[in-house]
Amino acid sequence: MRDLPRRAGHGDRNTGQAPAHRPAFAFRFDTAEGSVTISGDTAPCQTLVALAQDTDLLLHEAIDFDWVQRAYGSVGTLEAQASMDHHRASHTSPEQAIAIAHEAGARTLALHHLVPGTTPLEVWEAHAEKFSGNYLVPNDLDTISFSRVTSEMAAAR
């Protein structure tokens, strides 16, 4: 795993390797209007925190670890334990994503690639009060602005 230097400028993109799903990647795009950082499947790591420093929008994957426990916890096999260990070592809970966003200074956190897809929306949204910025649980294909430019300024262009 290595940290990549951040480049300042418009239209720059940066990538960094994260410690799960070898290889796992995160991407950052910096534009004149703002920045977006997108995590791949990853456990919490400082490389992602560094890449997302002061980002306007952090899109972060999340897993419901209560579901992992319900799905595998009572099975009692080595395979089930290995699956639970894999999920915990390779993914991030909403609480962990919030901690990453806080540490990075992200202004907006949007959870995506939610596992499992059957977890009720209310479970994901219940974490909103723990984040000091904007907290989103978007639907697939939703459009999320990461612009720091106010709507008045954007309209004047």
Side-chain angles (χ1 to χ4, degrees):
M1 183 168 57
R2 64 187 173 133
D3 288 324
L4 299 176
R6 250 180 101 195
R7 293 181 290 163
H10 305 304
D12 287 343
R13 67 181 183 275
N14 298 292
T15 60
Q17 281 191 312
H21 293 305
R22 306 271 187 239
F25 294 95
F27 300 91
R28 179 180 175 125
F29 300 91
D30 291 291
T31 72
E33 293 186 1
S35 59
V36 60
T37 305
I38 307 166
S39 82
D41 287 358
T42 183
C45 69
Q46 288 302 304
T47 302
L48 181 58
V49 171
L51 188 66
Q53 201 65 46
D54 297 320
T55 194
D56 295 298
L57 172 60
L58 173 59
L59 288 159
H60 205 293
E61 67 98 12
I63 191 167
D64 178 2
F65 285 128
D66 290 339
W67 167 79
V68 172
Q69 186 61 39
R70 286 191 308 274
Y72 301 103
S74 63
V75 176
T77 65
L78 290 176
E79 292 83 5
Q81 185 61 51
S83 186
M84 287 192 307
D85 293 346
H86 161 77
H87 283 91
R88 291 200 181 278
S90 304
H91 297 285
T92 306
S93 70
E95 294 92 344
Q96 292 168 319
I98 288 168
I100 291 166
H102 276 144
E103 188 174 352
R107 285 173 261 308
T108 298
L109 171 63
L111 299 182
H112 74 107
H113 186 46
L114 304 176
V115 176
T118 57
T119 295
L121 181 60
E122 297 78 31
V123 171
W124 307 110
E125 290 177 339
H127 302 281
E129 64 188 29
K130 300 171 191 165
F131 186 60
S132 60
N134 296 321
Y135 179 88
L136 307 171
V137 184
N139 293 309
D140 289 346
L141 304 179
D142 276 357
T143 300
I144 305 169
S145 174
F146 58 87
S147 177
R148 279 181 261 140
V149 177
T150 66
S151 58
E152 291 174 22
M153 291 173 66
R157 289 189 186 174

